[in-house]
Amino acid sequence: MAQDGGETLGGTMRAKDDAGEDIFVEGVEFTVFDEDGNVVGTATTDAEGVWLIDLPGSGVYSVELNTDTLQGFELRNPDNNPLTGVEVQPTTNKNTLFPLGERVIEESNSIRAVQLFVDGIKLGMIIAMCAIGLSLIYGTTGLTNFAHGEMVTFGAMIGFLFHVTWQFDFLGSWMTSLVFAAVVAIIVTGLAGGLFNEFVWKRLRNRGASLISALVVSIGLSIFFRYVFLYQFGGRAGFYRDYRIGENVEFFGIFTMLRKDIFIVVFGAIVLVAVATALRKTRVGKAMRAVADNRDLAESSGIDVEQVIRWVWIIGSALAGLGGVLFGLTENVNWEMGFRLLLLMFAGVTLGGLGTAYGALFGSLIAGVFIQMSTLLPFISSDMKNVGALLALIIILLVRPQGLLGRAERIG
Amino acid sequence: MTGNNFEDQLKDELIPDAGPIAGPPGDSSDMSVVTSEKLALVDSEAARAALADVPWEPGAKKPDPILVADNVVRRFGGLTAVDAEHVEVQRGVITALIGPNGAGKTTFFNLLTNFDTPDEGTRVFDGHNIDNVPAHKIANYGMVRTFQLTKALSKMTVIENMKLGATGQKGETLWRSVLPFMWKSQEKEIEARADALLERFKLSHMRDEFAGTMSGGQRKLLEMARALMVEPTMVMLDEPMAGVNPALTQSLLGHVTGLRDAGMTVLFVEHDMDMVQEISDWVIVMAEGRIIAEGPPATIGQNQAVVDAYLGSHHDSALDLDVEL
Amino acid sequence: MDWGSIIESLFRGLIGESFIVFALAAIGLNLHFGYTGLLNFGQAVFMAAGAYGLAMMVATIGPAANRNFGWDLSESTLFWAGIFVGVIVFPVIFAFVMGIPTLRLRADYLAIVTIAVAEIFRIVVRSPQPGIKKWTNSSDGLTGFSGTFYDMSPFGTQDRYLFNLFTGNQMFLVIVGWVVLAFAAAVCWLLIRSPWGRVLKAIREDEDAARSLGKNAYSYKMQALILGGIFGAVGGMIRAIGFSVAQPDNFITDVTFFVWVALILGGAGKVLAPIVGASLLYGLLNFSDTFLREGVSADVIPDSIMTGTQVGQVRFMLMGLGLALLAAFRPQGIFGNKEEMALDDR
Ligand SMILES: Nc1ncnc2c1ncn2[C@@H]1O[C@H](COP(=O)(O)OP(=O)(O)OP(=O)(O)O)[C@@H](O)[C@H]1O
Ligand SMILES: [Mg+2]
């Protein structure tokens, strides 16, 4: 690889994501010129944000970053691009630094509101997809499952395995490959959910374990799996291959969406509508709602409650897995992504009314929109936008404790 | 109306021929251990006798009502669970509240005790308007309730359950609780009273067991005994006999009449008409949230509205009281 | 392998600073969960309240007050004021924020709101916005508030104490910590044996029953939330003094989970449970950590299984698994009584 003295120019592109966590930026293009302005080479950052260009020898070079490939981030010092007069000593690797600022969207305020609303719907759909399972599990078994976030991470990682690690191409197009990875993730997480119910939760129920101990078991499993993911995947952020599909599509001149975001919204909407319809129309769906509504009544009217709970686990986990893939597509895949999403799921579920499937859907959408739109307020910067949603949760509880779609509890 | 007015009225009307309140010593229904000064003013015989002049119609005015509810409405979504125009409960007697399943009896109980808030309506207990009074304060006014699903405090011992019932405990204030000398003597008195009640309810042998180890019937007894620790003037029992074996029912019935004879007012929900016949002095019938009939127990079976409510309106024979409702 | 250092670290875990911190936080959680049945998943924020109450008073609020009002409060005055703010003012505020919306509702709501409040606090404190950073110094955290404390230490900073386990400053902190811990346990013991504690237990068992007997359940739950929060804040303050820094990432949700592990390990609802549990937890954590590290560096454990950086991860995995198994098979704790647990019909 190295020629002559092995001089190289390179660097690592780092940024903070929306939650303020460090991530690496993949897909940024660099071009290196020599003193005479001839192109020496080009390179693109990999999943760990690293780029490297071999040089013909020591000397003074300039480096230009293609700002169209910045994945929505901005350079903190745009004046330093191209970076000129970079001296490379013989036999050394010279690192350059292009500090990145926050991801910014510059538009007028009203247009920005529409843009944020669309982003909010997208985030809300992802939260909803993950939260439906959480809510149905709570409704049918009474368990507040803290390990649900890990199912989200698991789904994202299965998708990552097929899509990135094994580079599994399906029918050639990016979309079909991605759909394939998502379907695999759905199947694997669904199975995992079913197995967990069978070997952990069902046994706990049969032994008459209290809900509190079950809850603590779920906390233990959450910690366990989170660190298994960290151990396996490492602390870095992974990106799906199509993260770099940074092509913006404009709608009515009001808002723009990346191609992958259109994919997320459309795919998500199809799945959510299908789930909502299935809950209303199919026998299993009706049974799920009946059990969530009143377990004893459902049981005495001949519904096989254990069977329903099994399906709740399978479908709820599969949805969480899909949510993980989509969440990984909007941001990145990392070991604690699901755990970070868990709190937003709780917020969505509580907003909608604990234990009701529609409530979870509705509440999550509202939470997603609220999170994004709260950044319109001058005192909420994007690193604090989750704060807005959580505060809204607390305020809603004060005003309408049973949640937006829930109903008051029975006493006596 | 204030509490004083009530007491004046009581003295005027009821005291003249008042006899001793307590039953014979050793009788299991002797509730003298729980009588408070206020109860001593109530003569249940006279109170019962006064019911004779009350018309047999829904919302009938009572000569000396301890509890009055007006236009109490509670809706759950589209369902109107309770819509009671006017209800009065006579002081010093046993009033039964009956009605088919889902009639709204428990909901009405919750509304009367402020465990639930009505959408409309006012309630007056013993001269106090209790519309905006939190549930726990109602106990301090002298009204205490039990629950349809028994609420024994499983992981506390029976004696702890009992001691909890006493009101006005000094040691229940945070800062005093860490200074045992502030409350030790009061605790002793409470414990003595609790032991006496346990004795009456034949639960002494369970004294130091966890309440969770008790049978369903024993829990009902414990819940009633614990309610008496509050020294109430009015006791509200939601299906006190449900799930209690027949042998125990008789003693439970004895306890309930004992409460009345000690001067307390009892309002209870019951499905078993035999028991209602046996111990109640007055019956209020609910159906679909409304009060549809009132009267002495013997008359209720003949009431057409009640028959309709229980058996459907096409049915027109008198209600057979031997059949359990 | 260096068994000496493994044993040393085991003992530091059993009786050291982390044990004290988590035992105090778990005493608070025991009051919340073990006795009152409150599902508090934000104990970390009470701990943070203690840490930041002290740190902000000494390092940012105090100096700002001195500047703006022309006061001349000395660092030690600010230190004692900071203890008051961290132990009383902040926990009371947090308890109100958590409790007012949720204590009238079903237990699950408190669980969600407590996590939410803990997360809100963490996000706000680590915000890089200048208006906030001025007070909390973002993710780097605040320093320079523990001087007054260590100035009181009678121990030589250069010497080591108690079989070489602790430096002078550590020894001082640990001794103060033990005294505080003993005091907290005694207070808890008195509370639980009083009629006040009886009401708490009744609320844990059935809140409606307690209300029907004239107990103001809401008020008692709030009192328990505040008091347990105060114990947590004392723990968090000791943690901050020990690290000499108050940093947001020392109070993440996992810290709350650790407190839960300590409590469940000892058996919720028993006065000594938090102390036994925290001691066991940190004994085990320290032991496994040093043991694995020694194993890795002595090449007993090959790099293909675990590298030095992965030791921490493996340790967390074991802890998570342990917690799950414990809750599944011995929910009453290591020394708990099975029968009593079985009465739980929730
Ligand atoms: N929290 C609630 N939400 C919705 N509906 C309720 C609620 N509580 C009660 N109901 C409804 O109100 C009606 C009256 O219920 P309630 O429990 O008061 O009846 P009840 O007379 O006590 O019946 P039972 O004799 O079976 O105890 C029922 O139709 C019940 O389903
Ligand atoms: Mg009822």
Side-chain angles (χ1 to χ4, degrees):
Chain A
M1 182 170 79
Q3 304 155 6
D4 306 334
E7 296 84 0
T8 57
L9 244 177
T12 307
M13 294 304 288
R14 273 204 196 101
K16 298 236 184 266
D17 72 0
D18 298 344
E21 308 284 328
D22 273 320
I23 58 166
F24 301 110
V25 186
E26 189 185 5
V28 185
E29 275 177 26
F30 288 89
T31 313
V32 173
F33 302 91
D34 64 16
E35 274 178 302
D36 307 325
N38 302 318
V39 175
V40 175
T42 59
T44 311
T45 55
D46 64 10
E48 267 133 76
V50 176
W51 64 277
L52 195 71
I53 290 171
D54 295 323
L55 301 175
S58 57
V60 180
Y61 296 90
S62 59
V63 183
E64 181 167 11
L65 183 156
N66 180 354
T67 46
D68 293 341
T69 60
L70 268 178
Q71 321 290 357
F73 292 101
E74 291 232 328
L75 285 178
R76 215 178 288 167
N77 314 314
D79 300 340
N80 286 352
N81 184 32
L83 195 63
T84 52
V86 184
E87 270 181 57
V88 183
Q89 304 296 328
T91 70
T92 54
N93 305 318
K94 176 79 184 177
N95 270 335
T96 60
L97 202 61
F98 284 88
L100 294 181
E102 267 170 22
R103 219 187 281 221
V104 274
I105 311 153
E106 285 174 44
E107 271 127 322
S108 78
N109 242 5
S110 65
I111 291 186
R112 188 155 162 247
V114 177
Q115 180 74 44
L116 288 174
F117 180 77
V118 174
D119 290 348
I121 292 285
K122 183 187 75 180
L123 179 61
M125 278 163 97
I126 293 173
I127 300 175
M129 213 168 281
C130 303
I132 286 178
L134 189 71
S135 181
L136 277 175
I137 290 168
Y138 177 83
T140 50
T141 66
L143 170 70
T144 313
N145 181 18
F146 274 79
H148 201 68
E150 276 52 61
M151 203 53 97
V152 173
T153 314
F154 187 50
M157 291 199 164
I158 294 290
F160 190 84
L161 192 66
F162 274 77
H163 192 242
V164 179
T165 315
W166 294 343
Q167 301 271 333
F168 212 95
D169 271 318
F170 185 75
L171 294 181
S173 109
W174 68 269
M175 201 197 287
T176 45
S177 308
L178 203 56
V179 170
F180 177 77
V183 169
V184 175
I186 289 175
I187 294 172
V188 174
T189 47
L191 272 177
L195 290 176
F196 263 103
N197 177 48
E198 210 59 33
F199 292 106
V200 180
W201 304 113
K202 190 166 148 192
R203 284 171 196 224
L204 278 177
R205 284 196 296 278
N206 289 347
R207 295 196 355 202
S210 74
L211 287 176
I212 305 284
S213 9
L215 184 152
V216 177
V217 171
S218 84
I219 291 180
L221 290 178
S222 163
I223 299 176
F224 174 69
F225 284 111
R226 214 150 9 105
Y227 283 95
V228 169
F229 293 143
L230 178 59
Y231 181 85
Q232 270 302 320
F233 195 79
R236 70 203 160 83
F239 295 92
Y240 287 110
R241 270 190 282 152
D242 306 299
Y243 190 76
R244 87 188 65 130
I245 299 174
E247 220 170 281
N248 270 322
V249 180
E250 209 175 291
F251 289 85
F252 319 112
I254 318 179
F255 63 94
T256 62
M257 284 175 94
L258 299 173
R259 247 165 55 190
K260 58 169 187 170
D261 288 343
I262 302 174
F263 171 80
I264 293 171
V265 170
V266 173
F267 196 52
I270 294 173
V271 171
L272 287 178
V273 169
V275 170
T277 320
L279 279 173
R280 198 182 279 281
K281 294 277 158 60
T282 66
R283 268 190 51 205
V284 178
K286 282 188 214 163
M288 279 179 195
R289 288 195 302 143
V291 175
D293 199 44
N294 185 336
R295 186 187 163 133
D296 294 335
L297 191 65
E299 192 148 33
S300 61
S301 58
I303 293 176
D304 180 351
V305 172
E306 270 304 327
Q307 184 72 18
V308 169
I309 291 176
R310 184 172 306 137
W311 280 109
V312 163
W313 271 97
I314 292 175
I315 292 172
S317 304
L319 283 171
L322 174 62
V325 173
L326 298 186
F327 190 49
L329 201 55
T330 45
E331 298 198 350
N332 60 62
V333 180
N334 64 63
W335 63 286
E336 53 172 9
M337 57 188 287
F339 189 65
R340 284 204 342 242
L341 202 62
L342 185 69
L343 190 56
L344 301 183
M345 289 190 244
F346 278 145
V349 167
T350 317
L351 277 175
L354 280 184
T356 62
Y358 291 130
L361 215 167
F362 186 60
S364 302
L365 284 176
I366 291 193
V369 170
F370 198 92
I371 289 168
Q372 296 293 356
M373 303 219 19
S374 64
T375 54
L376 281 176
L377 299 173
F379 49 89
I380 297 192
S381 60
S382 72
D383 58 302
M384 298 220 296
K385 61 189 175 187
N386 288 359
V387 169
L390 299 174
L391 282 178
L393 168 72
I394 295 176
I395 290 163
I396 292 232
L397 283 181
L398 275 173
V399 186
R400 205 183 143 77
Q402 68 272 40
L404 298 169
L405 293 188
R407 58 147 205 253
E409 230 194 320
R410 227 197 117 86
I411 312 157
Chain B
M1 226 186 272
T2 68
N4 270 340
N5 277 345
F6 262 103
E7 281 172 20
D8 293 343
Q9 213 176 320
L10 274 171
K11 280 179 197 136
D12 290 350
E13 292 179 23
L14 305 174
I15 298 299
D17 51 8
I21 306 154
D27 181 346
S28 78
S29 64
D30 172 11
M31 287 299 153
S32 54
V33 311
V34 296
T35 51
S36 65
E37 285 161 34
K38 206 163 190 188
L39 296 179
L41 298 172
V42 181
D43 175 5
S44 75
E45 298 267 332
R48 264 181 289 169
L51 281 175
D53 305 328
V54 176
W56 304 348
E57 61 189 31
K61 296 253 186 302
K62 310 287 180 330
D64 175 22
I66 186 169
L67 178 67
V68 182
D70 263 307
N71 292 316
V72 173
V73 179
R74 177 70 166 107
R75 298 185 199 90
F76 294 111
L79 173 87
T80 305
V82 168
D83 180 3
E85 212 171 283
H86 185 82
V87 180
E88 293 187 359
V89 177
Q90 167 77 342
R91 186 190 305 270
V93 307
I94 299 178
T95 306
L97 180 64
I98 65 169
N101 290 114
K105 305 179 294 292
T106 298
T107 310
F108 193 44
F109 251 54
N110 290 343
L111 297 174
L112 293 178
T113 49
N114 271 355
F115 271 76
D116 192 4
T117 357
D119 298 307
E120 296 162 27
T122 52
R123 292 141 294 154
V124 175
F125 172 71
D126 210 359
H128 308 277
N129 181 310
I130 55 168
D131 287 342
N132 296 311
V133 177
H136 68 267
K137 284 222 178 105
I138 297 218
N140 298 333
Y141 286 176
M143 170 154 63
V144 63
R145 69 169 295 181
T146 65
F147 295 85
Q148 183 166 358
L149 298 172
T150 324
K151 294 187 187 298
L153 306 167
S154 308
K155 283 201 264 181
M156 295 169 71
T157 61
V158 169
I159 186 73
E160 277 184 308
N161 261 274
M162 293 295 290
K163 287 195 280 189
L164 179 74
T167 45
Q169 297 190 40
K170 293 198 187 91
E172 286 182 357
T173 325
L174 181 54
W175 69 270
R176 280 204 206 96
S177 67
V178 284
L179 307 170
F181 61 88
M182 306 270 316
W183 46 266
K184 264 285 170 345
S185 65
Q186 190 193 29
E187 178 87 352
K188 286 227 172 63
E189 288 163 25
I190 292 171
E191 193 161 324
R193 206 149 57 78
D195 276 325
L197 266 172
L198 284 179
E199 191 71 38
R200 289 268 179 283
F201 280 81
K202 301 212 163 54
L203 289 173
S204 292
H205 61 292
M206 301 290 289
R207 185 183 192 275
D208 297 311
E209 305 286 328
F210 283 118
T213 62
M214 295 176 116
S215 75
Q218 287 174 320
R219 287 179 200 213
K220 289 263 173 204
L221 284 174
L222 172 62
E223 202 183 11
M224 199 187 287
R226 191 178 62 196
L228 297 181
M229 286 296 290
V230 177
E231 301 186 307
T233 46
M234 178 167 184
V235 187
M236 321 246 306
L237 309 167
D238 197 351
E239 306 204 12
M241 261 62 99
V244 175
N245 86 12
L248 217 61
T249 354
Q250 273 315 314
S251 87
L252 252 169
L253 289 182
H255 289 306
V256 176
T257 47
L259 299 183
R260 173 193 59 197
D261 297 337
M264 280 175 240
T265 311
V266 179
L267 178 67
F268 78 113
V269 172
E270 187 49 61
H271 282 292
D272 186 328
M273 281 307 286
D274 283 340
M275 318 236 161
V276 173
Q277 291 287 340
E278 195 173 331
I279 61 166
S280 64
D281 305 308
W282 190 258
V283 179
I284 300 177
V285 189
M286 274 185 91
E288 292 173 3
R290 297 175 167 278
I291 310 295
I292 57 162
E294 277 192 40
T299 67
I300 286 299
Q302 274 84 50
N303 185 311
Q304 191 59 39
V306 178
V307 176
D308 290 349
Y310 272 93
L311 302 174
S313 50
H314 51 88
H315 210 285
D316 55 7
S317 69
L319 198 54
D320 179 3
L321 285 173
D322 291 339
V323 179
E324 277 184 22
L325 292 175
Chain C
M1 286 221 242
D2 178 2
W3 283 98
S5 72
I6 294 179
I7 305 284
E8 228 172 64
S9 120
L10 169 68
F11 274 98
R12 212 172 291 130
L14 287 173
I15 58 173
E17 169 211 318
S18 295
F19 148 69
I20 293 166
V21 169
F22 280 81
L24 279 166
I27 287 181
L29 187 64
N30 200 20
L31 213 50
H32 292 151
F33 172 68
Y35 291 110
T36 324
L38 301 175
L39 288 177
N40 172 15
F41 284 106
Q43 189 67 344
V45 81
F46 284 116
M47 298 167 75
Y52 273 89
L54 174 63
M56 283 167 71
M57 272 314 276
V58 178
T60 57
I61 298 179
N66 278 347
R67 270 196 313 278
N68 294 336
F69 304 123
W71 294 345
D72 189 24
L73 304 173
S74 70
E75 190 184 321
S76 76
T77 314
L78 289 175
F79 176 82
W80 295 109
I83 289 193
F84 177 75
V85 170
V87 170
I88 309 288
V89 180
F90 277 21
V92 169
I93 293 175
F94 282 131
F96 279 148
V97 171
M98 291 172 177
I100 289 173
T102 58
L103 287 183
R104 289 183 207 281
L105 310 177
R106 213 164 40 182
D108 318 77
Y109 287 98
L110 180 70
I112 290 163
V113 167
T114 46
I115 306 184
V117 169
E119 191 64 11
I120 290 173
F121 182 80
R122 201 178 67 88
I123 296 176
V124 170
V125 160
R126 60 176 292 161
S127 165
Q129 282 189 53
I132 297 173
K133 187 169 178 175
K134 178 164 82 177
W135 302 109
T136 62
N137 198 23
S138 190
S139 52
D140 292 337
L142 295 166
T143 51
F145 53 83
S146 46
T148 312
F149 178 80
Y150 289 121
D151 286 348
M152 291 184 284
S153 164
F155 299 100
T157 43
Q158 303 304 317
D159 307 321
R160 291 189 76 86
Y161 294 84
L162 207 71
F163 311 104
N164 280 338
L165 277 184
F166 303 112
T167 65
N169 277 350
Q170 285 171 342
M171 193 68 227
F172 181 55
L173 182 69
V174 164
I175 287 179
V176 172
W178 285 339
V179 172
V180 172
L181 185 58
F183 177 74
V187 168
C188 196
W189 189 85
L190 281 171
L191 284 171
I192 289 318
R193 263 155 195 72
S194 74
W196 186 83
R198 188 158 65 212
V199 178
L200 290 197
K201 282 188 249 176
I203 290 171
R204 172 190 72 192
E205 296 298 301
D206 195 313
E207 183 182 335
D208 284 338
R211 285 200 294 157
S212 78
L213 297 171
K215 315 301 174 199
N216 185 351
Y218 182 74
S219 156
Y220 280 97
K221 287 203 275 186
M222 190 61 94
Q223 292 171 33
L225 191 61
I226 291 174
L227 205 59
I230 286 176
F231 286 125
V234 175
M237 193 176 278
I238 292 180
R239 189 174 170 89
I241 294 176
F243 289 162
S244 288
V245 58
Q247 233 174 357
D249 292 347
N250 283 336
F251 302 102
I252 55 177
T253 308
D254 278 349
V255 170
T256 300
F257 290 163
F258 271 55
V259 181
W260 274 86
V261 177
L263 179 62
I264 304 270
L265 204 59
K270 297 185 182 53
V271 173
L272 287 181
I275 297 178
V276 175
S279 178
L280 274 179
L281 173 67
Y282 272 87
L284 283 172
L285 278 179
N286 275 12
F287 173 78
S288 59
D289 190 59
T290 326
F291 181 78
L292 291 174
R293 262 178 226 293
E294 289 287 330
V296 168
S297 63
D299 273 338
V300 182
I301 303 170
D303 264 5
S304 58
I305 297 182
M306 207 186 297
T307 61
T309 52
Q310 284 175 328
V311 166
Q313 302 164 10
V314 170
R315 195 174 75 141
F316 278 112
M317 277 187 230
L318 293 178
M319 193 193 76
L321 201 60
L323 176 62
L325 292 175
L326 193 70
F329 295 104
R330 281 200 77 83
Q332 72 277 28
I334 301 269
F335 308 107
N337 165 349
K338 189 106 193 170
E339 279 73 54
E340 192 177 334
M341 203 69 190
L343 296 174
D344 193 358
D345 44 10
R346 270 178 290 186

